[in-house]
Structure formats: C-alpha cells, structure tokens
Amino acid sequence: MSSLLSKGLSLYTLKNVLALHVLVDYFGSRKLHQITNGTTLTSTVFQSTGNAPGTSGYINITDLKGGKVGFGTSDNDGKLDAVYVKSVQEIPYNISILQISQPLNSAEAEAPTAEPSKLNLTEILSKQGCKAFSDLLIATGADATFSETIDGGLTVFCPTDSVIKGFMPKYKNLTAAQKTSLMLYHGIPEYEPLQSLKSSNGIVNTLATDGANKYDFTVQNDGDDVTLKTKVNTATITGTLKDEEPLIVYKIDKVLMPRELFKAEEVAEAPKSSKSKSKSKHKEEDAYAPSPSDEDPADQAADNNGVAGLDGRRLVLAVLSMCIGVLLM
C-alpha cells in the first residue's frame, strides 16, 4: 500500500480509491480461472456510489498465461496494474478476500474530491424541535465533543423541547460535570441507521463512556419500535430528524437517565389505614352475608315456627300463674 499512501491523497479521495477495490460481484479463486472468454468487466462500489464518471468504476479481470489473473481499471488504457496473488478468505457466493500484487491505479478515483460541507449539529437540532437540548449541549460544552465525532460517525438521541422542560428540575440538581456527562450520554460514536439498530440489539457505549464509568444502555426492539433501556428508565425513538451519513439524529420521548447519575425511580402505593381496612372488612362481610330474600323458604318457615312456639309457651305460663294466684286468695 506504500505506493498509494505516498501520493498524499485526501481522506475523501482515498475513500474513492478503496471503493474501487471492492467488487459488487462474487469472485472466488475458482471463478477467477473460469472466466468466460478469458476476460470480463465487473462493477465496483466506486461505480455504485455515483462518484465515478462514466464507466471508470469498472474493473477489467483477465486470465493470463501461466495461470495468472490480471486486474486493471477500465480507464487505464487496457493496462493491467496488478495480478492475483492468493485467496485470503472465502465464504462461497457471499464474500471473498483476494490478495493482489499492488493497488489499482485510476485517474478518476484519485482525482481531488471536495470535502463535504460541515454539518452543524446544534443548528440542525434547533431547527428540528430540539432547541432546548441544543442549548444544553452548548452550555455544558458537550457540543465540541459531538462535533469532533461527526466525521467518524455519530448517532444522536434528542429529547424534544417539551421533554427537556419537564426534566429541568432534576437537571438543575446535577453538578457541572454531571450535566456534561448526561449530554454525552445521548450520543453514540457510530453512524447507526434505524435498520442497523433493529438488527443489532444489545448494550452500546456512549460518548460518556470512560473506563469504569460505563454510561451504557441497551437497544431493544419492541414490535416496530426501538427502545433505549437504561438501568433507570426506558425511552422510545419516535422519529428521525436528520440522516446524512456520517450523522444521524433521532427524536426520543424521554431524557436518558444513566444509573451513574440517577437512582431507579420507584412508585410505591401508600398503605391503607387500619380504619379503612376495617371498613373494607365489614363491607366484605356484608357482601358475603345473605339477605332474607336469599334464604331457603323452608329455613324461613322453620325460623317463624320457632318464634311462634316460644310466644305460645310464654302465654301458657302467664295464664297458669294467674290461676294459682286466684286459688291462693
């Protein structure tokens, strides 16, 4: 690779050159030696990006004498710069890694490439309903870390203005260093489109991760939704505000609360008073006590006869007492 590095190409030009070395078709060692008519043109990632003028992103692969295979770009006047050395790794019809003798030369791929316009994260957030979050990034100085990370890939989870407003009482209780860590907790140093998040559930590190201070959370699918679960709370991605590689910004419905800064929120039900329990118990007993209309008719008749018999005996005793009294007189 020294011949390529010695050219002093910019990072963005090097991306084009490397993309020229990735074919969009499968070529294993066997296929290389069985090319129809001994030569073929195949497309590369450089061609598929749309950055390659005309067909300059195509590679010429040709079988040579002595069992050799040559490689050259289509805009190189038919010159084959490199030859096949060996197969490094092959997973048939999925991917193969082939070693070649030297990098492929291409005037088009090596042409100066303009640096893409700088992405102003705080400006993007302010225009997309996340001005409160943007203001906190600036106030804590965390915006500098976010901006420095963009070129290498950055995913931002932004609570909306109304969410930040409701969270401010808790935010004000944090120290300056804790506020900065909280802001950094809302960024991942990788470009993670939604489909990638859905297919790679699990624990992720954040911009706040620092040695023993994990500051991580878990990405999980919840049906069609993607949730971000900390040890304290769970937020849901509700929309995509910006997706322009290497930056993607999501809108979330809660501020992510790391366990390093907050305790798990618990909502305990207040115990009932003994008085209310007593009332409840009486009500429960009343509820289970049958009403007279619910009793068996035979039982009611037996009860009535018992009362009538008792009253009759009392009447007889009263009459006898009167008779005895008269006789004694």
Side-chain angles (χ1 to χ4, degrees), residues 97-168:
I97 302 172
L98 308 177
Q99 182 182 343
I100 58 177
S101 58
Q102 67 179 49
L104 302 174
N105 294 308
S106 168
E108 300 294 350
E110 295 174 17
T113 303
E115 182 177 345
S117 58
K118 290 288 186 181
L119 294 169
N120 188 321
L121 177 61
T122 54
E123 183 179 335
I124 292 170
L125 294 174
S126 296
K127 291 180 178 179
Q128 298 291 336
C130 286
K131 187 178 186 307
F133 183 73
S134 174
D135 290 343
L136 292 180
L137 286 179
I138 296 171
T140 58
D143 62 314
T145 302
F146 277 80
S147 297
E148 292 168 359
T149 310
I150 290 178
D151 284 347
L154 176 65
T155 301
V156 180
F157 301 100
C158 172
T160 58
D161 288 346
S162 58
V163 172
I164 291 291
K165 182 179 179 180
F167 183 76
M168 286 309 292

Side-chain angles (χ1 to χ4, degrees), residues 41 99 122 157 170 202 234 255 281 308:
L41 282 177
Q99 182 182 343
T122 54
F157 301 100
K170 291 180 181 178
T234 300
V255 173
K281 184 177 180 181

